[in-house]
Amino acid sequence: IVMNNRIDHPYQLGTRTSWFLEELRFSFLYPEHTVLEDRSLERSLLGGTYPSEREQKLLHLLQQGRASEAYETYLEFFAHVTRNSFTHFRFSMKRLYISMQLLIKELQAVACFTDYKEMGITRFESYIEHIENRASLDDLFSSWFKEFEAELQRCRAERVRAVVDQLKQIIETEYTNPGLCLQLLADTVRLSVSHISKLFKETEGISLSDYWLERRMREAIRQLVETDVLVKEIAASVGFLNENYFFTVFKKQFDMTPNEYRRRARLQNPAIG
């Protein structure tokens, strides 16, 4: 740091020295061999305000698993807290770290971050106190944000899988129920109809209604091939109150009536009859 300004009175020396020492504590902000002139030093030593709105935005983005946007907000946060004293900077980074750890604990309550190893506040404070370059700090937060994104994606995938498996189990139990409908399924898993429809379609590649229709048809075919039960009784046993509707759906699926399907199956395998 090069001092180019004239000092007219000894009392000014203390103020100048405080500025120089404070800037040295922020040396990690500058590339090696950077030369600063004292007239360009505008850092305030009077504390500073904590950017709580940026913290809230950052935590919200992390909770949604949006790592790249969270990092951009972190850069804004960082620029704000490095304008004042190092003490304020250290306090701000410590508070942000604690807020992130509290968020992780909230997410652990819903089975996320089950294997998470915390850095520890004492270690983090020491890291901030002895940081040598900004890139290492940026990389640390960037890696944390990416970990948030990956972990939340894993948790969401597990939750979705659990919901879909539950829906399939309900259908397996209730496919013969004429009252089976999307609303019944949604109420059972305590989610909306639109939500379960979207989750199931994205996961299984088939709509819920088509899935339970296929399950009904598999059972209908089994009875047609293996038993002599009347078609109207088969229709009722797989959840169709209207025999004609069963015929319509069956023909649309297999391009033949149930009776035709039974005859062909027995012609192809006489042992069944």
Side-chain angles (χ1 to χ4, degrees):
I1 301 175
V2 180
M3 187 175 72
N4 288 324
N5 289 334
R6 176 185 176 88
I7 292 181
D8 297 316
H9 195 280
Y11 77 81
Q12 294 177 306
L13 187 59
T15 301
R16 291 289 174 180
T17 302
S18 296
W19 285 352
F20 296 160
L21 291 176
E22 196 70 13
E23 206 62 40
L24 286 173
R25 300 189 78 185
F26 279 103
S27 61
F28 64 88
L29 292 175
Y30 305 101
E32 192 174 358
H33 305 306
T34 297
V35 176
L36 298 176
E37 293 190 6
D38 67 332
R39 69 186 62 184
S40 67
L41 302 182
E42 300 177 351
R43 186 179 307 284
S44 169
L45 305 185
L46 300 178
T49 58
Y50 183 75
S52 55
E53 74 289 347
R54 289 188 178 89
E55 179 197 279
Q56 292 171 4
K57 179 181 177 182
L58 193 156
L59 294 175
H60 178 69
L61 292 168
L62 287 179
Q63 199 163 18
Q64 294 182 323
R66 295 155 65 181
S68 59
E69 294 173 69
Y71 184 73
E72 291 301 317
T73 303
Y74 154 79
L75 294 179
E76 295 174 7
F77 179 96
F78 185 87
H80 185 91
V81 299
T82 51
R83 294 173 185 170
N84 304 105
S85 69
F86 186 84
T87 300
H88 177 257
F89 165 75
R90 182 176 53 196
F91 160 79
S92 299
M93 298 307 294
K94 176 183 175 180
R95 175 168 162 173
L96 177 61
Y97 173 82
I98 292 173
S99 295
M100 290 173 58
Q101 300 312 306
L102 291 174
L103 176 58
I104 288 172
K105 284 181 169 53
E106 288 180 20
L107 293 171
Q108 285 176 331
V110 290
C112 292
F113 289 96
T114 52
D115 299 322
Y116 176 71
K117 299 292 188 296
E118 185 178 343
M119 184 179 192
I121 186 61
T122 302
R123 184 179 168 195
F124 181 75
E125 284 182 301
S126 177
Y127 175 82
I128 291 295
E129 191 70 40
H130 301 95
I131 185 171
E132 294 185 359
N133 60 77
R134 175 180 174 174
S136 64
L137 182 62
D138 290 348
D139 289 345
L140 178 63
F141 275 90
S142 177
S143 66
W144 280 340
F145 298 160
K146 290 175 182 176
E147 186 177 356
F148 263 93
E149 184 171 33
E151 183 64 14
L152 287 171
Q153 287 177 351
R154 182 192 67 79
C155 288
R156 284 171 184 161
E158 286 187 357
R159 286 197 293 269
V160 168
R161 183 73 264 168
V163 170
V164 169
D165 287 346
Q166 186 180 2
L167 290 169
K168 291 169 78 172
Q169 184 57 48
I170 297 168
I171 290 170
E172 185 62 30
T173 304
E174 297 288 337
Y175 74 89
T176 61
N177 177 5
L180 179 61
C181 63
L182 289 173
Q183 192 61 59
L184 184 150
L185 292 170
D187 290 344
T188 304
V189 298
R190 299 182 180 180
L191 295 170
S192 69
V193 168
S194 60
H195 192 46
I196 63 169
S197 299
K198 182 175 181 290
L199 292 182
F200 199 92
K201 179 72 173 180
E202 289 178 349
T203 305
E204 298 295 312
I206 184 174
S207 70
L208 271 165
S209 55
D210 284 345
Y211 180 84
W212 82 62
L213 178 61
E214 284 190 3
R215 182 64 187 92
R216 285 174 167 176
M217 289 298 103
R218 286 203 309 274
E219 175 59 20
I221 286 171
R222 186 193 70 77
Q223 293 189 46
L224 285 170
V225 172
E226 298 178 6
T227 75
D228 293 319
V229 176
L230 296 177
V231 171
K232 65 178 181 179
E233 294 176 0
I234 292 175
S237 73
V238 295
F240 287 86
L241 294 176
N242 187 305
E243 181 185 358
N244 291 332
Y245 181 58
F246 173 72
F247 268 81
T248 300
V249 171
F250 194 97
K251 189 167 185 180
K252 183 178 180 181
Q253 287 270 49
F254 303 103
D255 200 29
M256 65 184 78
T257 66
N259 287 318
E260 288 172 336
Y261 191 100
R262 173 176 271 168
R263 283 195 299 270
R264 291 191 185 188
R266 293 185 175 181
L267 284 174
Q268 291 172 1
N269 190 357
I272 296 175

